[in-house]
């Protein structure tokens, strides 16, 4: 069965600094998708970044980048130049290649300190 | 298009009652997902529709839960004989293809007293 583990329930970062959120997953599949979603307090979940497992190149979206280690089944999120608006719960998610099922981790609550 | 909408936003019900939630996805999205999220946890996958066909159903979804998407547009999630353990946020999401971004609705918060 697929599982997603986020071992950091809470993280904090100084404004303008860099922070890395960890995620590991378990799967026997070779093709799949990985995602990071952001859920601000009392607001809707939004996509931060996605990665196709067959791509070796790490995905980047502006200040957000991932370190995808397929053999280690690790998918960490790096946020550079942290901003106050980055404060939120961050969820790592796994999807089968078919997209029929999604599995989310338990989340990491990120605090940005001014 | 204003995104994924869910109604009602909040529902308080007594144990044993039936409740129904509605989700209106983004109009061109053929994929629709339902999740349940409890405090301090990530969303748990419940079920998935491609157009009107329910293609996946989690083992978490007991017989008291049923979902429909009759015309491949909006979807409903019904919980029969609610229990206190059903109290949670029920999230709906839609997407336009495999591996595509899921757009989430604001959720329906259910409280069973």
């Amino acid at each position: 069965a697929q599982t997603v583990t986020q071992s950091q329930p809470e993280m904090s970062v100084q404004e303008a600094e860099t922070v890395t959120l960890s995620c590991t997953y378990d799967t026997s599949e070779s093709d799949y998708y990985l995602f990071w979603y952001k859920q601000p307090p009392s607001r809707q979940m939004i996509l931060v970044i996605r990665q196709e497992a067959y791509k070796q190149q790490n995905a980047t979206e502006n200040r957000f980048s991932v370190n995808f280690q397929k053999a280690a089944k690790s998918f960490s999120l790096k946020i550079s130049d942290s901003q106050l608006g980055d404060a939120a719960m961050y969820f790592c998610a796994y999807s089968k290649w078919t997209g029929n099922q999604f599995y989310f981790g338990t989340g990491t609550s990120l605090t940005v300190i001014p | 298009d204003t995104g994924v909408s869910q109604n009602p936003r909040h529902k308080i019900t007594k144990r044993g009652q039936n409740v129904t939630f509605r989700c209106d996805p983004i109009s061109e999205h053929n994929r629709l997902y339902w999740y349940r999220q409890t405090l301090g946890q990530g969303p748990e996958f419940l079920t998935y529709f491609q157009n009107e066909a329910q293609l996946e159903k989690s083992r978490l979804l007991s017989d008291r839960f049923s979902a429909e998407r009759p015309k491949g547009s909006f979807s409903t999630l019904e919980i029969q004989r609610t229990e206190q353990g059903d109290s949670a946020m029920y999230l709906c999401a839609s997407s336009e293809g495999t591996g595509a971004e899921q757009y989430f609705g604001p959720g329906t918060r259910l409280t069973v007293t």
Side-chain angles (χ1 to χ4, degrees):
Chain A
Q2 286 81 5
T3 58
V4 178
T5 301
Q6 294 179 249
S7 58
Q8 305 154 315
E10 297 177 346
M11 291 281 285
S12 61
V13 61
Q14 291 285 141
E15 194 175 2
E17 296 296 308
T18 296
V19 65
T20 298
L21 308 183
S22 301
C23 173
T24 59
Y25 59 94
D26 185 28
T27 184
S28 57
E29 308 284 329
S30 58
D31 292 322
Y32 47 87
Y33 296 94
L34 295 166
F35 306 82
W36 279 97
Y37 279 88
K38 169 184 177 182
Q39 189 175 39
S42 301
R43 296 186 64 184
Q44 288 161 238
M45 190 110 64
I46 57 174
L47 179 69
V48 175
I49 198 165
R50 63 190 284 273
Q51 174 85 40
E52 294 95 332
Y54 68 87
K55 288 187 177 179
Q56 293 185 337
Q57 187 172 9
N58 290 323
T60 62
E61 285 288 342
N62 301 313
R63 299 182 295 107
F64 299 88
S65 61
V66 298
N67 184 3
F68 172 48
Q69 301 289 327
K70 190 172 184 179
K73 297 180 182 175
S74 169
F75 183 61
S76 61
L77 174 69
K78 185 171 84 170
I79 306 173
S80 304
D81 185 26
S82 296
Q83 300 176 0
L84 295 177
D86 294 334
M89 185 72 83
Y90 286 81
F91 292 99
C92 177
Y94 165 100
S95 163
K96 289 185 175 181
W97 183 249
T98 56
N100 287 13
Q101 291 190 22
F102 274 75
Y103 301 89
F104 283 80
T106 52
T108 297
S109 178
L110 178 66
T111 300
V112 180
I113 303 165
Chain B
D1 198 333
T2 56
V4 179
S5 62
Q6 292 186 245
N7 288 289
R9 294 292 305 277
H10 303 273
K11 179 70 177 178
I12 300 174
T13 191
K14 292 185 177 180
R15 188 175 54 189
Q17 297 295 305
N18 299 343
V19 294
T20 300
F21 310 141
R22 177 178 170 126
C23 170
D24 287 88
I26 293 172
S27 57
E28 61 266 28
H29 288 182
N30 62 355
R31 292 173 173 245
L32 187 145
Y33 304 81
W34 283 100
Y35 296 88
R36 179 172 63 194
Q37 186 177 24
T38 53
L39 199 62
Q41 299 296 316
E44 293 176 293
F45 170 81
L46 293 178
T47 190
Y48 156 68
F49 289 86
Q50 186 164 336
N51 299 311
E52 67 275 9
Q54 187 175 21
L55 298 185
E56 288 284 347
K57 194 173 174 180
S58 167
R59 280 169 284 183
L60 295 172
L61 214 62
S62 76
D63 291 343
R64 297 184 297 105
F65 287 70
S66 62
E68 293 182 342
R69 194 182 183 197
K71 295 182 180 179
S73 56
F74 73 92
S75 176
T76 58
L77 177 69
E78 181 183 18
I79 309 174
Q80 296 182 328
R81 304 181 304 282
T82 52
E83 302 172 356
Q84 286 189 320
D86 295 331
S87 295
M89 178 75 84
Y90 289 84
L91 297 171
C92 174
S94 70
S95 74
E96 58 182 350
T98 302
E101 175 179 359
Q102 287 192 44
Y103 291 81
F104 282 81
T108 294
R109 182 169 295 283
L110 173 66
T111 302
V112 181
T113 61

